[in-house]
Amino acid sequence: MEKPLCRKCLLSEMADQQALLASVQELIALLPEEKRADDQTRAQRLSQCRECSHLNDGTCGLCGCFVELRTAKAWLHCPAVPPLW
């Protein structure tokens, strides 16, 4: 049986995606600290992504990224027009 699409879910909120989440967290840890968004900024960005209609199964429906990775990169912004963050 195919699992339903999880709207409004981040990888960290899906029990069946913990291996993928671990990989994303490893990639975040590899980012140089000066290129990583601070914890408060990441939390704020993730909160905005969680409310976005383009969030699907932990990814952004506009650009296809894992939102937990995109929000960790200080230099990136939301791909929506206008950007949410």
Side-chain angles (χ1 to χ4, degrees):
M1 180 176 192
E2 189 175 316
K3 76 175 184 122
L5 192 64
C6 185
R7 298 216 181 275
K8 308 292 186 214
C9 291
L10 300 172
L11 292 175
S12 59
E13 300 166 337
M14 296 184 284
D16 63 336
Q17 295 296 335
Q18 294 309 296
L20 184 54
L21 175 62
S23 295
V24 167
Q25 289 171 331
E26 285 179 28
L27 291 172
I28 292 169
L30 290 173
L31 289 172
E33 191 170 331
E34 66 273 7
K35 293 190 176 199
R36 239 182 289 148
D38 62 64
D39 290 342
Q40 182 179 5
T41 299
R42 287 176 57 202
Q44 184 179 32
R45 290 175 172 187
L46 285 171
S47 176
Q48 291 170 302
C49 288
R50 191 177 283 114
E51 298 302 316
C52 182
S53 63
H54 299 290
L55 176 62
N56 291 310
D57 212 19
T59 62
C60 173
L62 294 173
C63 68
C65 72
F66 291 110
V67 295
E68 282 145 318
L69 181 56
R70 186 177 191 93
T71 59
K73 296 178 178 181
W75 70 94
L76 291 181
H77 58 81
C78 170
V81 177
L84 297 178
W85 47 266

